[in-house]
Amino acid sequence: MSHGIESVTVIGAGTMGAAIAGHLANAGIPATLLDMVPSELTDQEQAAGLTLAHPKVRNRIVQGGFDRMVKAKPASLFSQDSLSRVTLGNLEDDFSDAISKSDWIVEAIIERPGPKQALMARIEKEAKTDAIITSNSSGIPMAIISEGRSDDFKKRFFGTHFFNPPRYLRLLEIIPTPESDPAMLDRMKQFGESRLGKGVVICKDTPNFVANRMISFIQSDLFEYVLANDYTVEEVDALTGPLIGRPKTGSFRLNDVIGIDIMALVGDNLYGMIPDDPDRVILKGESSSTLMNLMVKENLLGNKTGQGFYKTVRGEGGKKSFHGLKLRHAVETGEIDYLAPQKPRWESVGAARNLPLPQRLKAMVNADDRAAGLIRHSLLYTMAYASKRIPEITDTLVDLDNAMRWGFAWEMGIFEMWDALGVADALELMSKEGLTTAPWVQEMVEDGNDSFYSFSDSGAKLAYSVADKKHLPVDQSELVLSVNDVKRNGNTLAENDGASLVDMGDGVMLMEYHTKGNALDPDVWQIFGTALNRLHGDATGLVIGNDGPYFSAGANLMLFAMAVQSEAWDQIEAFLKTGQDMLQNLRKAPKPVVAAPHQMVLAGGAETMMGVDRIVAHAETYIGLVEFGVGIIPGWGGCKELVRRKVSPHMHAANVNPSPYLQEIFELIGYAKVSTSAKEAQSWEYLAPTDRIVMNRDHLLAEAKQEVLHMADGYTPPSAKANVYAAGAGQLANMRVGIYMLQTGGYISEHDAKIADKLAHVLCGGELSQGTWMDEQYFLDLEREAILSLIGEPKSLERIQYMLMNNKALRN
């Protein structure tokens, strides 16, 4: 039961509509994508002798939109397998059949009321009586779109505003009308969260809803301040990106991605729709309006035209650099010119950059230089404006914060940042700036509340309710669980600089890394040792997971580089052996161990994940054994695990040739392939068929804990004896021929060939005279020997040092 939604029709195969259909397919939901029938033939169609009645012509528009979605970068689909879940059709031949069978119909056509209203009239005649009907409009009020429809229609109609691209941006705004049935809204909310992996925010039916209303003000205010104070594009993006908990795109690069024409149009349209908002004047800021109009006139629309606030310049050797538009010069002269990168530096940023985000924000706001001035202005004006939009655009500050975090990938919401600065301290700074807030903020402080968020004695998260004038529990799914929640409610069992072991309840432990890049090092192994002891005691099981930006980037390369430079070969072997033994001991532990990976899972991180009993992965998990790029091969069981997973199952049958399966592994490791989704990783067998993929990132730890509890009853650890097939010398000879041909053809370097030979030796189980079933430890010993023979090579050290300095591979 998919919350009653098992079939969906999306109308409109533009960028958004096609991507919504693609994401439904990602989630395993069959989707029909419809668009108009063409009224004229193209030159190519005429030349082919086709007519307007030909099916290929009638579906040309929808096919084009679908094809663009399939080719989109970043990819809209988890894997090519998702394609089969999307059915294409048109609004004449396929409308009635598709609509009558759908549990949910979502409209994503042109942003004009007339066509939307006409479409809704057609849908009402064909839709099932219990089908949900929604519009993906980003600005037209839902009440206008549903004008003229019956009361029954209006009960099941509301807005569902996805953010683009739907696969990657988590926010789904649901916009009810006064007539919308609360049960229907709840049905969609649960579906959006659980099946589509969305963060759902309930909005008021006001212009631009929540996230776009806020970002329009934030960007307009920032641009006016930047132009008035002559900051460069590069400076602004350096200050409004990861430094303050926002994506690397910063502010101006974000506009280039969205499109300058779209941002200008949104601001112009919004101004006329919010006459009662006294702060709307910023949307018509003189300098920023002049700049945006000039850029639109000159067709500097951002990425879509190849030039906007940034211009890509190729220098000597084809090396790219990104030049920023001279902002004030453009406003004052009407001329377009660009400034080469300057790599700005500020004392305040240097002092604060390594602090945790809450302390970093506070340090920057209270510093005294140009960097601090911009950040202080933007944050204070944003906070003051946000306070005045409640309850106009949404009733809760939680929904407003979530909209910014999920819609624009901010680490913290606006009121969360305000808490980090100190509510009273921020109010004092606002007063100095001449800013006013909504009266409810002052009332809250005067009533003795010093924060917007707090926690109950039981650890439940509370948020201030403007309507109730007190803190109330945050309404969220029981599956929402973070490491901070676990630490707040549980006991820390062990902790050092590299990792923590925490009691999740019900006897389940959580192992969290907190090294740089969540890299694996001796501190992490120490906490793993404590976890193992407890697994042999009264613990029920173990979850390995974290709330960081990614699961794990692998081993601590700096330790490797230092040991190699010191020629500390015994230390290197001990590090390898400790890691192997630790992961094998986890694999053989008497209680279940579940990994909960997300985002980047590389090298030793992937080996840790593959070495445990079960994986509960977030859908956006990118897995790869990338050691080849630093001059070695996987050494903590990665080779062994892929042979066990991809080769061994086939070798129980008679007369099976292991060559194609070995070649698949060789290419995965040799080309350092990284999956683009957990689904693709599963097709590569990094994930087993029994492993699970979770769509909602916030549900990952809770789902992993439930998996431990599910496995614990009657659990038996797997055997590591005679369960990995060693193909032997014959297959190794074949692989060596392939390596030789790659080298002589100029596809790989001499050092690549040397590493590839070691990899082939391990994958085939060495020079055995015939195929033989071997223990897992046999392959682990081969991995370790191969790395020790490679790590002392000067070219391998060069690769390690290059990776440490440039964060990318060197092929020398």
Side-chain angles (χ1 to χ4, degrees), residues 531-601:
L532 275 166
N533 289 337
R534 289 179 174 271
L535 289 172
H536 284 275
D538 59 0
T540 303
L542 174 68
V543 171
I544 304 171
N546 62 71
D547 285 344
Y550 37 74
F551 181 74
S552 174
N556 187 326
L557 271 183
M558 183 63 74
L559 290 179
F560 255 89
M562 292 172 62
V564 172
Q565 288 174 329
S566 303
E567 299 185 354
W569 312 122
D570 290 346
Q571 181 181 332
I572 293 172
E573 181 170 19
F575 185 58
L576 291 170
K577 186 69 166 62
T578 299
Q580 289 182 345
D581 291 348
M582 192 64 66
L583 295 180
Q584 281 299 99
N585 288 336
L586 279 175
R587 181 166 163 72
K588 295 183 289 186
K591 310 289 176 56
V593 180
V594 173
H598 67 283
Q599 291 292 314
M600 301 307 295
V601 185

Side-chain angles (χ1 to χ4, degrees), residues 134 151 236 470:
T134 71
D151 292 343
V236 174
K470 62 181 179 180

Side-chain angles (χ1 to χ4, degrees), residues 400-681:
L400 194 148
D401 273 358
N402 285 340
M404 304 312 292
R405 290 194 299 109
W406 295 334
F408 303 107
W410 289 11
E411 288 183 44
M412 297 176 72
I414 295 169
F415 293 100
E416 291 172 325
M417 291 190 289
W418 197 336
D419 271 352
L421 300 184
V423 175
D425 291 343
L427 284 172
E428 185 176 342
L429 290 172
M430 289 178 194
S431 178
K432 292 177 181 178
E433 293 275 337
L435 288 171
T436 59
T437 64
W440 66 263
V441 178
Q442 196 64 46
E443 291 173 10
M444 183 189 84
V445 174
E446 290 172 355
D447 287 343
N449 298 295
D450 59 2
S451 66
F452 297 105
Y453 293 95
S454 62
F455 296 92
S456 69
D457 293 340
S458 64
K461 187 174 183 179
L462 308 175
Y464 186 77
S465 167
V466 176
D468 297 278
K469 298 186 178 181
K470 62 181 179 180
H471 285 77
L472 297 176
V474 172
D475 181 22
Q476 62 186 20
S477 166
E478 293 180 357
L479 290 174
V480 173
L481 185 66
S482 69
V483 173
N484 284 336
D485 293 334
V486 174
K487 288 183 174 179
R488 192 178 304 112
N489 298 323
N491 299 315
T492 299
L493 305 172
E495 189 169 27
N496 60 26
D497 290 341
S500 300
L501 188 67
V502 189
D503 180 8
M504 297 182 82
D506 301 311
V508 181
M509 301 177 291
L510 172 66
M511 169 87 172
E512 174 211 10
Y513 314 148
H514 38 72
T515 51
K516 184 178 180 181
N518 287 332
L520 304 168
D521 65 11
D523 281 345
V524 174
W525 298 138
Q526 181 185 352
I527 301 299
F528 264 130
T530 302
L532 275 166
N533 289 337
R534 289 179 174 271
L535 289 172
H536 284 275
D538 59 0
T540 303
L542 174 68
V543 171
I544 304 171
N546 62 71
D547 285 344
Y550 37 74
F551 181 74
S552 174
N556 187 326
L557 271 183
M558 183 63 74
L559 290 179
F560 255 89
M562 292 172 62
V564 172
Q565 288 174 329
S566 303
E567 299 185 354
W569 312 122
D570 290 346
Q571 181 181 332
I572 293 172
E573 181 170 19
F575 185 58
L576 291 170
K577 186 69 166 62
T578 299
Q580 289 182 345
D581 291 348
M582 192 64 66
L583 295 180
Q584 281 299 99
N585 288 336
L586 279 175
R587 181 166 163 72
K588 295 183 289 186
K591 310 289 176 56
V593 180
V594 173
H598 67 283
Q599 291 292 314
M600 301 307 295
V601 185
L602 304 178
E607 291 173 299
T608 303
M609 177 202 73
M610 288 194 292
V612 303
D613 296 294
R614 191 66 53 85
I615 299 167
V616 177
H618 182 230
E620 298 296 347
T621 300
Y622 317 123
I623 305 168
L625 294 171
V626 296
E627 289 88 346
F628 209 100
V630 292
I632 57 176
I633 67 169
W636 282 335
C639 299
K640 175 265 293 183
E641 272 301 302
L642 284 181
V643 173
R644 185 180 72 82
R645 291 161 181 247
K646 294 183 76 71
V647 178
S648 302
H650 302 282
M651 304 315 296
H652 293 289
N655 301 319
V656 175
N657 181 5
S659 179
Y661 310 112
L662 286 168
Q663 186 63 30
E664 287 178 19
I665 302 172
F666 182 82
E667 291 179 5
L668 282 178
I669 298 174
Y671 294 124
K673 291 184 176 181
V674 178
S675 70
T676 59
S677 69
K679 192 68 178 175
E680 184 174 52

Side-chain angles (χ1 to χ4, degrees), residues 241-255:
L243 178 67
I244 60 172
R246 298 179 191 175
K248 293 179 181 179
T249 49
S251 298
F252 286 110
R253 194 173 294 282
L254 175 64
N255 276 264

Side-chain angles (χ1 to χ4, degrees), residues 171-183:
L171 181 60
L172 171 58
E173 291 180 322
I174 292 182
I175 309 99
T177 70
E179 296 86 3
S180 301
D181 182 350

Side-chain angles (χ1 to χ4, degrees), residues 582-792:
M582 192 64 66
L583 295 180
Q584 281 299 99
N585 288 336
L586 279 175
R587 181 166 163 72
K588 295 183 289 186
K591 310 289 176 56
V593 180
V594 173
H598 67 283
Q599 291 292 314
M600 301 307 295
V601 185
L602 304 178
E607 291 173 299
T608 303
M609 177 202 73
M610 288 194 292
V612 303
D613 296 294
R614 191 66 53 85
I615 299 167
V616 177
H618 182 230
E620 298 296 347
T621 300
Y622 317 123
I623 305 168
L625 294 171
V626 296
E627 289 88 346
F628 209 100
V630 292
I632 57 176
I633 67 169
W636 282 335
C639 299
K640 175 265 293 183
E641 272 301 302
L642 284 181
V643 173
R644 185 180 72 82
R645 291 161 181 247
K646 294 183 76 71
V647 178
S648 302
H650 302 282
M651 304 315 296
H652 293 289
N655 301 319
V656 175
N657 181 5
S659 179
Y661 310 112
L662 286 168
Q663 186 63 30
E664 287 178 19
I665 302 172
F666 182 82
E667 291 179 5
L668 282 178
I669 298 174
Y671 294 124
K673 291 184 176 181
V674 178
S675 70
T676 59
S677 69
K679 192 68 178 175
E680 184 174 52
Q682 196 165 41
S683 72
W684 294 353
E685 296 177 77
Y686 279 124
L687 274 65
T690 51
D691 293 329
R692 293 182 52 214
I693 297 174
V694 174
M695 291 292 287
N696 194 313
R697 173 69 182 85
D698 289 343
H699 296 179
L700 190 60
L701 292 181
E703 294 281 11
K705 178 186 174 183
Q706 289 303 313
E707 194 69 21
V708 169
L709 294 173
H710 175 73
M711 295 174 66
D713 187 13
Y715 175 77
T716 302
S719 171
K721 296 292 185 181
N723 64 330
V724 189
Y725 187 80
Q731 290 298 323
L732 178 56
N734 290 338
M735 296 188 80
R736 282 175 169 163
V737 170
I739 293 167
Y740 174 78
M741 292 176 67
L742 286 171
Q743 185 184 356
T744 55
Y747 297 104
I748 61 174
S749 68
E750 181 181 353
H751 192 56
D752 285 332
K754 182 175 292 187
I755 306 166
D757 184 80
K758 296 293 183 182
L759 173 61
H761 184 267
V762 173
L763 296 181
C764 294
E767 306 268 2
L768 298 172
S769 59
Q770 62 182 15
T772 309
W773 289 94
M774 304 298 288
D775 295 348
E776 292 183 17
Q777 189 60 51
Y778 173 79
F779 277 84
L780 292 172
D781 291 342
L782 289 178
E783 287 183 11
R784 197 169 66 255
E785 291 165 7
I787 290 180
L788 289 170
S789 69
L790 289 168
I791 198 72

